[in-house]
Amino acid sequence: MTNSENATSRRTGLWLALAVALLAAAADQASKWVILEHVMDPPRLVEVTPFFNLTLGFNRGVSFGMLSSDEALGRWLLVGLTLGIVAALIVWARRADGRIEAAAIGGVIGGAIGNVIDRVRQGAVTDFLDFHALGWHWPAFNLADAAIFCGVAAMLLHSWAADRAADKKVNALPLNGAIEDKRNEA
């Protein structure tokens, strides 16, 4: 690949990541608006299926409520940390090896931005998706969290597949035959 093709590929990866990020953040914010303004007015539990409810919650921390704080400083530290991570992900997206990796990074960026918007606007992240089974409830989450999870999962699968492909390529090289040929020539 020439330098020009490589630069074009990187720009394409960045634009794809940013498009996916915008879509993820917009879907997250739209879903939260519907939940807050229409479904949960007044707040209540909506049983959708025997294993899924809509329920309103506000998370002042990160995943599973870790680092939760009612202090304004804690909120702004989480916003700053998240924006720093988003900046690093944008650099990564610019260097992405392909569309799958770029789209996956975009999902993580969009989810992070969706949750940052909540923290800035209301001091906490709005959660409303509640899955449960046999009396056990997964912590409530939102579409931003789902975008982050799916993006990370796709990045891990992409990395695993790339590693397997590289291993197959290395194992397919005729190293033993080349060594034997060199020995026979001597």
Side-chain angles (χ1 to χ4, degrees), residues 37-84:
E37 296 297 323
H38 300 289
V39 177
M40 294 294 168
D41 189 22
R44 63 185 184 280
L45 175 74
V46 179
E47 293 182 33
V48 179
T49 69
F51 59 87
F52 173 63
N53 299 329
L54 295 175
T55 185
L56 187 58
F58 296 96
N59 184 356
R60 297 191 186 287
V62 293
S63 299
F64 312 115
M66 294 185 299
L67 305 177
S68 184
S69 172
D70 289 332
E71 307 270 335
L73 177 63
R75 170 175 94 174
W76 293 109
L77 285 174
L78 287 176
V79 167
L81 176 65
T82 303
L83 291 176

Side-chain angles (χ1 to χ4, degrees), residues 15 36 43-45 57 71 99 106 108 131 138 150 185:
W15 285 113
L36 289 171
R44 63 185 184 280
L45 175 74
E71 307 270 335
R99 291 181 188 158
V108 176
F131 286 89
W138 184 257
C150 291
E185 289 176 9

Side-chain angles (χ1 to χ4, degrees), residues 68-186:
S68 184
S69 172
D70 289 332
E71 307 270 335
L73 177 63
R75 170 175 94 174
W76 293 109
L77 285 174
L78 287 176
V79 167
L81 176 65
T82 303
L83 291 176
I85 291 168
V86 165
L89 288 169
I90 289 170
V91 170
W92 185 1
R94 189 169 184 274
R95 298 176 180 171
D97 287 334
R99 291 181 188 158
I100 293 172
E101 185 178 25
I105 294 168
V108 176
I109 291 169
I113 293 296
N115 284 340
V116 161
I117 292 169
D118 282 6
R119 284 189 201 292
V120 169
R121 280 185 37 230
Q122 59 198 26
V125 173
T126 302
D127 291 324
F128 57 91
L129 303 171
D130 174 32
F131 286 89
H132 57 90
L134 306 172
W136 181 81
H137 283 257
W138 184 257
F141 61 99
N142 56 49
L143 292 186
D145 299 333
I148 293 168
F149 176 84
C150 291
V152 169
M155 284 189 286
L156 290 172
L157 287 172
H158 180 265
S159 175
W160 175 76
D163 286 349
R164 286 193 50 127
D167 286 347
K168 284 183 180 181
K169 197 173 196 178
V170 167
N171 289 336
L173 292 175
L175 289 179
N176 291 338
I179 292 170
E180 291 297 320
D181 289 343
K182 294 289 182 193
R183 286 184 189 157
N184 290 337
E185 289 176 9

